[in-house]
Amino acid sequence: MSVLRTTARAPIARTALAVLAVVAVLALTGGLLAPLDPLAQDTARILQGPSGAHLLGTDYLGRDVLSRLLAGTGLSVLTAAEAVAAAMLLGVVPGLASVRFGAALSWISLRAVDALMTLPFTLFAIAAVGVLGNGLHQAMLALGVLLAPLFFRVTRAAALGLDRAQYVEAAELMGASRSWILRVHIWRKVLPTVAVTTAHALATSLLAVSSLTFLGIGVQPPAPTWGGMLAGDLGFLAQQPWAPALPAALIMLTVGALNLLADAVRDAEPADAVRGAGPADTAVRKEHRDGLAAV
Amino acid sequence: MTLTTDRPAAPPATGRPTEEPLLRIRGLGVSYGTGARVLDGIDLDARAGEILGVIGETGSGKTTLARAVVGLAPVTTGRITVDGTDRTALRGRALREARRAGAVQYMFQDPLRSLDPDLAVRHLIGEPLAVAGIPADVRAERVLTALDLTGLDRALLDRTPGRLSGGQRQRVALARAIVTRPRLLLADEPVSALDASNRNHVLRLLDRLRHELGLAVVVISHDLDSLAGVADRIAVLYRGRLVEQGPAEAVLTRPLHPYSALLAASAPGLDRTRRAGLALLRTPSPAAPADAACVFAHRCPFADADCRELPQPQPRGADRTAACHHAPAWREHLSR
Ligand code: SF4
């Protein structure tokens, strides 16, 4: 827990959290904040620049860009979160099982994970959609499968630690339950790694959702998403060269904030460990002497 | 109560007759997956208020012995009872409940590994009580008592183990072990990683605690020196068998097993007169039969055809056993 507290004190982490908080608010309320209907087409005003009526201009169908960006936040973020949730489920359970249920399963699951990690993402997603049918959830499941190895490795490492750490054995000797051991001894050691993995996975899937939409997989038009807008705008670079920059900026900002947060969590960890593992300093030695004198 | 002649009797922990051992091990056998016996046929007692030193080299099974008592090693034969309760029969929930009661505590060899590096001293010491569901206020009080008993400064309460010295860590491990007010404490090499001054302090602390708390203490060690000043009785293990046990003074000065004699003669801190015959004790007998059953035969200077048969621990005087066909006759060779 001290790792998270240290993280929260870092200025860079605070900035990242502020950005993510804004994104979260937009994801929840974006549709309500949109000044105009994000789906309403106005063929008389296509590809217009910023104006009083359309603060960020209109797209190739005359739809209000600002409204579409705001309304698209929720779907973009939620789909990314869905993929990460699928990845967690598909990574964590086999990760635990690979440690608990013997060497054979461990070997098989490690090889399966190695194989998954070599698969090119886009190809796999297209194949999965080909088999399961095109749709948001199918695409997110495919993404989840490909992100699962990240969580598999983290969980496996934690579960191995759970089995081997002597302080876990010491806690068992006190009569501690499995859930106590997880809560008190394992969780706080796994948490920073899980936080970093989740942040990276969210960033990856946000980008992936965008690139899938770009390919016409996953979110179906006309529903607005950042990736879908980016894909659409790229078709009209000659008319509006600046237009793709808007959804791209939002994607980059969110991914950047997640990566910064993940880095801040990771950086907080060694600092904490160094403080904890340092050799006895003068004060410690003095207290040590005093302690001895008390016997 | 079994004590050496020069040691005052420790007060009993309860009104129970002191002759009744708190820890009673009978016919203990432990083997791991491969089937090889790590311990075989061990009979051993420890009484309240007594320090029993268990000595042996690496691989002798001394740590396994302590781990078997707390249920961390697979007992294949025999029984271990603590205060009349059969610990070997405990499984699942019953084992967990017994552990939470905290009557038996085990101190791991390396506190740096056995103490969670993320927890502060107050949580490390309080954890056994928290696990047992003892309310926070009672817990806090008992943590302070344990801290005081082990001579730790209260200023250390919020430190993590990494910010303590080796001696302090060992005391935290000790405080954590005694916070449940145990009846039996098993300490695995409690001083092997400490420098001379800390070593004496921790040993003195154990000596004081067994008097103050009426604890039975089993100290596991590879080094006779660290047991010499503190143990009331000494048990000597060699390759999984108990070769000798008896009052510490007697085992140190008049060992009845050639291996105990070798240990006593080689201990650097012991006086020179005990070193008599060290060269002889280090010379294996040419008459040792290749198929000897005695575990020490390959190193024993006195091995002969008799040693084909496994020597069983035989009573040799009050509260003393030795497992050697030629005990104590072999001692005559030493004086020659
Ligand atoms: S029984 Fe024989 S081999 Fe074993 S210790 Fe005694 S004399 Fe030596």
Side-chain angles (χ1 to χ4, degrees):
Chain A
M1 290 311 167
S2 57
V3 171
L4 287 193
R5 273 199 296 273
T6 314
T7 308
R9 278 198 291 271
I12 199 126
R14 290 187 173 197
T15 315
L17 281 172
V19 171
L20 292 176
V22 172
V23 173
V25 169
L26 286 185
L28 291 174
T29 62
L32 302 173
L33 296 177
L36 297 165
D37 179 357
L39 300 181
Q41 301 180 8
D42 183 353
T43 40
R45 296 162 177 265
I46 59 169
L47 297 171
Q48 285 195 340
S51 66
H54 301 283
L55 285 179
L56 295 177
T58 58
D59 69 0
Y60 61 98
L61 291 174
R63 296 173 296 196
D64 183 53
V65 170
L66 176 63
S67 300
R68 285 182 67 74
L69 280 179
L70 289 174
T73 309
L75 201 53
S76 306
V77 172
L78 286 181
T79 45
E82 186 183 338
V84 171
M88 273 184 165
L89 193 71
L90 294 173
V92 170
V93 176
L96 286 175
S98 77
V99 174
R100 285 256 152 249
F101 301 113
L105 187 79
S106 170
W107 191 88
I108 293 170
S109 56
L110 278 170
R111 295 299 83 77
V113 161
D114 288 346
L116 272 181
M117 290 177 85
T118 60
L119 285 179
F121 163 64
T122 317
L123 223 59
F124 182 78
I126 292 171
V129 165
V131 173
L132 301 172
N134 194 2
L136 182 62
H137 300 302
Q138 289 89 326
M140 290 311 103
L141 185 68
L143 189 50
V145 169
L146 286 184
L147 288 175
L150 284 177
F151 290 94
F152 174 87
R153 290 186 180 275
V154 171
T155 314
R156 187 177 149 81
L160 282 175
L162 177 90
D163 266 26
R164 288 179 192 162
Q166 202 172 68
Y167 53 79
V168 168
E169 198 175 44
E172 275 170 0
L173 263 190
M174 301 293 164
S177 60
R178 279 258 143 192
S179 71
W180 174 280
I181 290 170
L182 272 174
R183 201 155 32 88
V184 176
H185 298 287
I186 301 298
W187 179 235
R188 66 183 71 213
K189 289 171 193 64
V190 180
L191 192 61
T193 326
V194 169
V196 172
T197 309
T198 309
H200 281 314
L202 267 173
T204 309
S205 52
L206 199 58
L207 280 178
V209 168
S210 307
S211 58
L212 282 181
T213 314
F214 191 82
L215 293 173
I217 298 174
V219 182
Q220 295 305 303
T225 60
W226 296 347
M229 292 175 70
L230 181 62
D233 291 340
L234 284 176
F236 300 91
L237 276 178
Q239 291 83 355
Q240 275 186 322
W242 51 269
L246 294 171
L250 279 178
I251 293 171
M252 278 167 55
L253 206 64
T254 313
V255 171
L258 282 168
N259 280 331
L260 280 181
L261 187 65
D263 287 349
V265 171
R266 203 183 38 214
D267 290 347
E269 202 178 3
D272 202 61
V274 169
R275 255 198 301 115
D281 55 30
T282 322
V284 174
R285 277 196 224 108
K286 183 185 171 299
E287 284 182 31
H288 174 49
R289 277 200 307 276
D290 294 349
L292 290 180
V295 176
Chain B
M1 181 81 47
T2 312
L3 292 163
T4 49
T5 44
D6 57 348
R7 201 176 282 282
T14 63
R16 205 179 306 276
T18 52
E19 278 67 31
E20 188 58 35
L22 184 75
L23 168 68
R24 183 191 282 268
I25 300 175
R26 289 293 174 271
L28 177 67
V30 172
S31 31
Y32 288 107
T34 52
R37 279 272 162 122
V38 186
L39 285 175
D40 202 4
I42 308 285
D43 292 341
L44 202 57
D45 293 341
R47 298 168 179 81
E50 172 183 79
I51 295 187
L52 168 69
V54 176
I55 182 149
E57 55 195 28
T58 309
S60 61
K62 55 190 192 305
T63 294
T64 305
L65 177 68
R67 290 174 66 90
V69 174
V70 293
L72 287 180
V75 173
T76 38
T77 56
R79 269 161 65 98
I80 300 169
T81 56
V82 176
D83 222 1
T85 311
D86 186 355
R87 304 285 293 197
T88 40
L90 296 175
R91 296 276 181 282
R93 182 183 285 271
L95 177 62
R96 186 174 289 176
E97 289 307 319
R99 284 175 168 174
R100 285 184 184 173
V104 181
Q105 291 292 4
Y106 175 66
M107 266 174 77
F108 287 84
Q109 184 173 353
D110 181 3
L112 199 54
R113 288 174 57 216
S114 66
L115 298 175
D116 188 327
D118 282 343
L119 294 189
V121 167
R122 76 168 72 241
H123 296 123
L124 287 168
I125 301 179
E127 188 185 10
L129 302 177
V131 165
I134 289 174
D137 50 336
V138 181
R139 212 157 69 209
E141 207 172 291
R142 281 174 64 179
V143 166
L144 291 181
T145 310
L147 206 69
D148 293 345
L149 270 171
T150 48
L152 280 164
D153 195 322
R154 292 187 179 192
L156 302 179
L157 272 174
D158 292 311
R159 296 245 176 124
T160 48
R163 298 174 65 212
L164 300 174
S165 70
Q168 285 169 334
R169 269 197 294 269
Q170 197 59 272
R171 282 153 196 263
V172 170
L174 187 55
R176 179 179 155 96
I178 61 164
V179 77
T180 60
R181 299 177 182 156
R183 310 271 338 266
L184 171 66
L185 171 65
L186 301 125
D188 192 356
E189 303 274 9
V191 295
S192 65
L194 302 179
D195 58 40
S197 93
N198 267 319
R199 177 182 284 238
N200 287 336
H201 280 293
V202 169
L203 287 173
R204 248 185 286 153
L205 196 54
L206 282 174
D207 193 32
R208 209 187 76 200
L209 289 174
R210 57 93 174 245
H211 283 300
E212 286 181 13
L213 308 177
L215 269 175
V217 182
V218 177
V219 178
I220 311 286
S221 179
H222 68 282
D223 155 33
L224 202 54
D225 245 1
S226 58
L227 292 179
V230 71
D232 302 305
R233 289 168 61 241
I234 288 181
V236 184
L237 286 180
Y238 188 80
R239 289 201 176 176
R241 295 198 77 96
L242 184 65
V243 295
E244 178 167 2
Q245 63 162 318
E249 189 66 21
V251 173
L252 289 171
T253 54
R254 293 180 307 284
L256 290 177
H257 193 280
Y259 177 59
S260 325
L262 181 63
L263 285 178
S266 335
L270 299 177
D271 70 64
R272 290 235 147 248
T273 55
R274 292 184 200 168
R275 299 192 175 229
L278 183 55
L280 171 65
L281 287 167
R282 280 187 177 152
T283 316
S285 161
D291 56 347
C294 173
V295 285
F296 191 59
H298 66 295
R299 284 171 68 185
C300 182
F302 314 109
D304 60 15
D306 292 348
C307 308
R308 281 205 177 88
E309 197 183 318
L310 185 70
Q312 296 297 336
Q314 298 292 332
R316 309 272 174 186
D319 199 26
R320 196 163 181 203
T321 66
C324 172
H325 293 306
H326 298 313
W330 62 262
R331 293 190 58 84
E332 288 162 19
H333 294 270
L334 282 185
S335 44
R336 269 182 211 158

